[in-house]
Amino acid sequence: MRATQGPARRLGRPRDARAEQAILGATLELMAERGIARLRIDDVASRAGVGKATIYRRFATKDDLVTAAVSRLVREIAVPDTGSTRDDLQVLMGEAVDVYTGPLAPRLMPDLVSEMAHSTELAAAVRGGFLAARRDALRAVLRRGVERGDLHSDLDYELALDVLGGPLFYRLLVTGGPIDQHLADGVVELIMRGFAQTKTSHPSNANRKDDA
Amino acid sequence: MRATQGPARRLGRPRDARAEQAILGATLELMAERGIARLRIDDVASRAGVGKATIYRRFATKDDLVTAAVSRLVREIAVPDTGSTRDDLQVLMGEAVDVYTGPLAPRLMPDLVSEMAHSTELAAAVRGGFLAARRDALRAVLRRGVERGDLHSDLDYELALDVLGGPLFYRLLVTGGPIDQHLADGVVELIMRGFAQTKTSHPSNANRKDDA
Amino acid sequence: MRATQGPARRLGRPRDARAEQAILGATLELMAERGIARLRIDDVASRAGVGKATIYRRFATKDDLVTAAVSRLVREIAVPDTGSTRDDLQVLMGEAVDVYTGPLAPRLMPDLVSEMAHSTELAAAVRGGFLAARRDALRAVLRRGVERGDLHSDLDYELALDVLGGPLFYRLLVTGGPIDQHLADGVVELIMRGFAQTKTSHPSNANRKDDA
Amino acid sequence: MRATQGPARRLGRPRDARAEQAILGATLELMAERGIARLRIDDVASRAGVGKATIYRRFATKDDLVTAAVSRLVREIAVPDTGSTRDDLQVLMGEAVDVYTGPLAPRLMPDLVSEMAHSTELAAAVRGGFLAARRDALRAVLRRGVERGDLHSDLDYELALDVLGGPLFYRLLVTGGPIDQHLADGVVELIMRGFAQTKTSHPSNANRKDDA
DNA sequence: TAATAACCGAGACGGTACGTCTCGTCTTAGG
DNA sequence: CCTAAGACGAGACGTACCGTCTCGGTTATTA
């Protein structure tokens, strides 16, 4: 019967997966080297050793190509567990500092932010990609902090996450201020103090079920 | 002899000041409508009812034009003085929320950030323009808070400013989260608590070294 | 077991002879419809219901394909024998008129001429194909005319053939003038008169200037 | 009132006539070097020292460009007057032989003929251009021949012109036969004999003065 | 008052990158 | 091994925009 099983027969020569990898790899390299606006499709083609049609067969437009390339940057982010909420946050924020001071992010982010405003797909890819990974890790650490009683049980997680991430982005994209461990520590300290468990110590009723 | 009268005599027909206004106005409109990257000089010329040469006579390049247009957006920002540091901060942050939720900023900022990365002049204009105005006002309020004893005397002003501004930018440019009074209040509250004067000197010596 | 049966074993699936016919047929159709330069191999494949590789397996290049298609157009041309040289020529020229006013030649010839200039093989195919057939027939008639005494014994056959064929081609390809029996008769008459046997002391043997 | 006088005001920078000449010159050169099909617009642009847009502003498509370039080839053709119809024809045919054996015609004509079949404009340009010039000159000579009594008064001029021109084109485009003075003389002689004045038979007083 | 010089709108200029199309080849699944 | 379908590397096409230059004409200052 062959119903509802696969997307038809797929006649003809299948697309070469290596071409796709080569295209995205070349795109990332050139994005980092020259920025998104200065990225030329012909250069992507020639660096990838690929015809332009092979690119356009996969990605309808330059924006699509950039979106796809950025989506490849996602990496797993481990949730640290040092026993100290402050230390866990510092570990994660240290990693963020490393990323933002690395070779890729400073060149990519400004253009990426601009493209995100024009392309919903790219915005979704970025938010669901490397952004979500980091935020998930931070959220887990914060939650453990609440459970431990280090942080207030009414903690506004989204606010805390944006306070952790915002200043780094702000300096990277706007003020040009230094992005270093000092900044990371300062933000973490602020979170720890500002969202600290209040005196009356109703110990972490924010927990889901492991309260007992 | 032409002596002793004035510097830069300026022969010939003087530049028409209305042209300059029309150019910058059209530029701002089109920046908001289409974004900076999609902004076409030809379109600016035609909307301003001006020849392209008239634009390039004033602004050497597209970046210069954008920089000049953005510089027009600067507004005086009054330093509030309610008597309460928290309230003063909330006033300023409320204004910032208004700007970021207005018609211009959300469309302009993403591209602006991208262009700033490519143009030192634009970056300087933005930082020295409406950014500096707001930061100066916030800094004044913070300083008063320190003087009043509401805030810690070792306050890292740059950190505080970036924590105040960063989350708003972060949501505007990256996460797409809500930018509202709740966010503003949350950040202000965090600053007030996290950077509070430590009368009883509780041990949190996470500060760099000058804590003692 | 299929052993020991014939010479030239021909392993695998044999070529489908129908494919070749379909390819050449589609090629001729499309050549007539769009011209040789606008002929697309993909279109030939799709009209013939054939894969592109099936075409290229048989014909190494587009020129080869066109050459083969054109070669199919050759037809036997009977040498007429009415007893009159003039009538024989008129019969052949009438056939030529029919060909040049038919559906194929007017659409094919212009491009064919162009392709012949770039492809020696095609030129040879055309000259050795339907062109040679007609010229051979005409030559035979002319020869009989000489033998009969209707035409001069020093007849320059090549010149005569080109005078017979040239004007038709000229009108088809260049001037756009009418190609009809009137033209054919006029050319034949010219040949008959101009190359007539000069019984009484033929002094002007076509020399250039020593006529006096 | 300014009615019906000129095509409006002509605002803006006028087109540079030198660019037009450079474009057409480069086009002719490259057409001769590589043929029309292999002619690349980028090469025309770079050889003419011109941007591609400058070409496309004037010529909507490659065919238009070729048409315009070919139209430039027209040259004045003087009507010879040696006193002898035969000699006059030989002069003109000799010039035709020179053209067809020159550097341009053999490379251009095949493609030109093909393009003419697809472009009415080009066909009109060719026929009304250098073709008409030569035919007009030949026609004038033939007419004088009739007036002198060298040629039959019922002469079919179009037929005569096509017999004069056809064989040369035929050899150039189709048979590849030699195009030389021998061919020209043969054709002229054929015309002189085949279209000679018949009845009164003043045999070839077409000679200049050595008749007596 | 007449020249002069810089301005004005309009639009052509030489370039550069785009996204589309076709070529002739190659790669799959199936007969 | 052949077939149909269709992806492949290469490269020309015609479009769009950049920043500059050129035109005829306008507006102030200087002579």
Side-chain angles (χ1 to χ4, degrees):
Chain A
M1 281 186 60
R2 82 187 299 298
T4 68
Q5 65 193 46
R9 293 277 306 279
R10 295 245 298 113
L11 288 179
R13 175 177 178 176
R15 293 193 180 167
D16 189 339
R18 290 169 308 174
E20 196 135 341
Q21 295 309 307
I23 291 166
L24 293 178
T27 301
L28 281 173
E29 285 175 29
L30 289 164
M31 275 167 52
E33 287 175 22
R34 304 222 264 269
I36 294 181
R38 276 103 178 148
L39 175 74
R40 279 178 292 130
I41 299 290
D42 280 317
D43 292 346
V44 173
S46 96
R47 181 170 302 196
V50 142
K52 265 204 297 181
T54 300
I55 296 177
Y56 280 106
R57 204 173 288 118
R58 292 164 168 73
F59 311 104
T61 177
K62 191 172 153 178
D63 284 350
D64 278 17
L65 173 60
V66 168
T67 301
V70 166
S71 298
R72 284 222 322 175
L73 290 180
V74 191
R75 253 167 300 181
E76 271 307 295
I77 295 183
V79 179
D81 190 2
T82 62
S84 152
T85 300
R86 175 179 283 105
D87 289 353
D88 285 353
L89 288 176
Q90 283 179 347
V91 165
L92 286 173
M93 291 301 286
E95 288 174 6
V97 165
D98 289 347
V99 169
Y100 293 169
T101 54
L104 226 57
R107 317 215 50 162
L108 239 50
M109 281 303 160
D111 292 342
L112 215 47
V113 154
S114 165
E115 296 295 319
M116 284 171 68
H118 298 303
S119 161
T120 306
E121 284 81 15
L122 179 56
V126 169
R127 290 181 190 137
F130 55 75
L131 193 62
R134 188 164 312 282
R135 284 175 83 85
D136 287 347
L138 284 168
R139 204 187 327 260
V141 168
L142 290 174
R143 187 150 40 219
R144 251 193 336 237
V146 171
E147 290 164 4
R148 279 197 192 99
D150 295 338
L151 295 174
H152 196 285
S153 56
D154 287 346
L155 177 63
D156 181 338
Y157 286 99
E158 290 306 307
L159 175 60
L161 288 171
D162 293 341
V163 168
L164 285 165
L168 275 70
F169 250 89
Y170 198 46
R171 290 199 174 174
L172 179 66
L173 300 182
V174 182
T175 71
I179 300 173
D180 50 19
Q181 196 62 43
H182 175 61
L183 171 63
D185 292 349
V187 172
V188 168
E189 190 56 34
L190 183 66
I191 291 287
M192 294 304 296
R193 289 165 170 264
F195 289 133
Q197 179 59 287
T198 42
K199 305 110 194 175
T200 56
S201 93
H202 31 114
S204 77
N205 56 356
N207 295 349
R208 278 154 300 191
K209 46 184 167 276
D210 51 1
D211 190 13
Chain B
M1 284 275 304
R2 86 188 288 296
T4 68
Q5 61 194 59
R9 291 279 294 281
R10 298 239 295 117
L11 286 182
R13 176 178 177 175
R15 290 190 180 169
D16 188 339
R18 290 169 309 173
E20 193 135 342
Q21 294 309 307
I23 291 167
L24 293 178
T27 301
L28 280 173
E29 284 175 31
L30 289 165
M31 277 168 53
E33 286 175 25
R34 302 223 265 272
I36 294 181
R38 277 102 176 151
L39 175 73
R40 310 284 166 231
I41 299 291
D42 282 302
D43 293 344
V44 173
S46 106
R47 180 168 302 197
V50 141
K52 268 206 295 181
T54 301
I55 297 176
Y56 280 106
R57 204 172 288 120
R58 291 163 167 74
F59 312 103
T61 175
K62 191 172 153 177
D63 283 349
D64 278 17
L65 174 60
V66 168
T67 302
V70 166
S71 298
R72 283 223 319 177
L73 293 179
V74 191
R75 255 167 300 181
E76 272 306 295
I77 295 183
V79 180
D81 190 2
T82 62
S84 154
T85 300
R86 176 178 282 101
D87 289 354
D88 286 352
L89 288 176
Q90 282 178 349
V91 166
L92 285 173
M93 291 301 286
E95 288 173 6
V97 165
D98 289 346
V99 168
Y100 292 170
T101 54
L104 227 56
R107 319 214 55 163
L108 239 51
M109 281 302 161
D111 291 341
L112 216 46
V113 153
S114 166
E115 295 298 316
M116 285 171 66
H118 298 305
S119 160
T120 307
E121 283 82 15
L122 179 56
V126 169
R127 288 179 193 140
F130 54 73
L131 194 62
R134 189 165 311 283
R135 286 175 82 86
D136 287 347
L138 284 168
R139 204 185 328 258
V141 168
L142 290 174
R143 188 148 38 217
R144 251 191 339 236
V146 171
E147 289 163 3
R148 276 196 194 101
D150 295 337
L151 296 174
H152 197 285
S153 56
D154 286 348
L155 176 64
D156 181 339
Y157 286 99
E158 289 307 306
L159 175 59
L161 289 171
D162 293 342
V163 168
L164 284 165
L168 275 70
F169 251 89
Y170 197 45
R171 291 199 174 175
L172 179 67
L173 299 180
V174 182
T175 71
I179 300 173
D180 51 19
Q181 197 62 43
H182 177 66
L183 171 62
D185 292 349
V187 172
V188 169
E189 192 57 34
L190 183 65
I191 291 288
M192 294 306 294
R193 289 164 167 270
F195 288 134
Q197 180 59 282
T198 53
K199 307 133 190 164
T200 58
S201 90
H202 48 76
S204 79
N205 55 358
N207 294 350
R208 283 145 294 182
K209 42 183 163 278
D210 50 1
D211 190 17
Chain C
M1 281 193 55
R2 81 191 294 292
T4 67
Q5 60 199 47
R9 291 280 292 283
R10 297 238 294 119
L11 289 181
R13 177 175 175 177
R15 290 191 180 171
D16 189 339
R18 290 170 309 175
E20 191 136 344
Q21 295 307 308
I23 291 167
L24 293 177
T27 301
L28 281 173
E29 284 175 31
L30 288 165
M31 278 167 54
E33 285 175 24
R34 300 223 269 269
I36 294 180
R38 277 103 177 149
L39 176 74
R40 311 280 167 237
I41 299 290
D42 282 320
D43 293 344
V44 173
S46 107
R47 179 169 302 196
V50 141
K52 270 203 296 180
T54 303
I55 296 176
Y56 279 106
R57 199 171 294 113
R58 290 163 168 77
F59 312 102
T61 177
K62 191 172 152 179
D63 283 349
D64 278 17
L65 174 60
V66 169
T67 302
V70 166
S71 298
R72 283 220 322 175
L73 292 178
V74 191
R75 256 166 298 181
E76 271 306 294
I77 294 183
V79 179
D81 191 0
T82 62
S84 154
T85 301
R86 176 177 283 103
D87 289 352
D88 285 354
L89 287 176
Q90 282 179 348
V91 166
L92 285 173
M93 291 302 285
E95 288 173 5
V97 165
D98 289 347
V99 169
Y100 292 171
T101 54
L104 227 55
R107 318 214 57 160
L108 239 50
M109 280 304 160
D111 291 342
L112 215 46
V113 153
S114 166
E115 293 298 315
M116 286 171 67
H118 299 305
S119 161
T120 306
E121 283 82 15
L122 179 56
V126 169
R127 289 180 191 139
F130 54 73
L131 192 63
R134 189 166 310 283
R135 285 174 81 86
D136 287 348
L138 284 169
R139 204 188 327 260
V141 168
L142 289 174
R143 188 148 39 218
R144 251 193 337 237
V146 170
E147 289 164 4
R148 277 197 194 101
D150 294 337
L151 295 174
H152 197 285
S153 56
D154 286 348
L155 177 64
D156 181 338
Y157 286 98
E158 289 307 306
L159 175 60
L161 288 170
D162 293 343
V163 168
L164 285 165
L168 275 71
F169 250 89
Y170 197 45
R171 289 197 174 177
L172 180 67
L173 300 181
V174 183
T175 72
I179 300 174
D180 51 19
Q181 196 62 42
H182 176 65
L183 172 62
D185 292 350
V187 172
V188 169
E189 192 56 35
L190 183 65
I191 292 286
M192 293 305 294
R193 288 163 170 269
F195 289 135
Q197 178 59 287
T198 51
K199 306 130 192 170
T200 59
S201 84
H202 36 104
S204 68
N205 51 359
N207 293 347
R208 272 161 294 217
K209 46 186 171 274
D210 49 4
D211 189 14
Chain D
M1 282 186 60
R2 85 188 297 298
T4 69
Q5 63 193 47
R9 293 277 308 279
R10 297 242 300 111
L11 287 180
R13 175 177 176 173
R15 293 192 178 168
D16 189 339
R18 290 170 309 175
E20 195 136 342
Q21 296 308 308
I23 291 167
L24 294 177
T27 301
L28 282 173
E29 286 176 29
L30 289 165
M31 277 168 53
E33 286 174 23
R34 304 221 265 267
I36 294 180
R38 275 100 177 152
L39 175 74
R40 279 176 293 131
I41 299 289
D42 279 313
D43 291 347
V44 173
S46 95
R47 180 168 303 195
V50 141
K52 263 208 294 182
T54 300
I55 297 177
Y56 280 105
R57 205 173 288 121
R58 292 164 167 73
F59 311 104
T61 177
K62 191 172 155 177
D63 283 350
D64 277 19
L65 174 60
V66 169
T67 301
V70 167
S71 298
R72 281 223 324 175
L73 291 179
V74 191
R75 254 167 298 181
E76 273 306 295
I77 295 183
V79 180
D81 190 1
T82 62
S84 154
T85 300
R86 174 179 283 105
D87 288 355
D88 285 353
L89 289 176
Q90 282 179 348
V91 166
L92 286 172
M93 291 301 286
E95 288 173 5
V97 165
D98 289 347
V99 169
Y100 292 169
T101 54
L104 226 56
R107 318 216 53 163
L108 238 51
M109 282 301 159
D111 291 343
L112 214 46
V113 153
S114 165
E115 294 296 318
M116 284 172 67
H118 297 302
S119 160
T120 306
E121 284 81 17
L122 179 55
V126 169
R127 287 180 193 139
F130 55 75
L131 193 63
R134 190 166 309 285
R135 285 174 83 85
D136 288 346
L138 285 168
R139 203 187 327 262
V141 167
L142 289 174
R143 188 151 34 221
R144 254 196 331 242
V146 170
E147 288 164 3
R148 276 196 193 103
D150 295 341
L151 296 174
H152 197 284
S153 55
D154 286 347
L155 177 62
D156 182 339
Y157 286 98
E158 290 307 305
L159 174 60
L161 289 171
D162 292 342
V163 169
L164 285 164
L168 276 69
F169 251 90
Y170 197 46
R171 290 198 173 173
L172 179 66
L173 300 181
V174 183
T175 70
I179 299 173
D180 51 18
Q181 197 62 42
H182 177 63
L183 171 63
D185 293 347
V187 172
V188 169
E189 190 57 34
L190 183 65
I191 291 287
M192 294 305 295
R193 288 165 172 268
F195 288 134
Q197 180 58 283
T198 40
K199 310 120 191 174
T200 57
S201 93
H202 30 117
S204 79
N205 56 357
N207 296 348
R208 276 153 296 197
K209 44 186 161 276
D210 49 3
D211 188 13

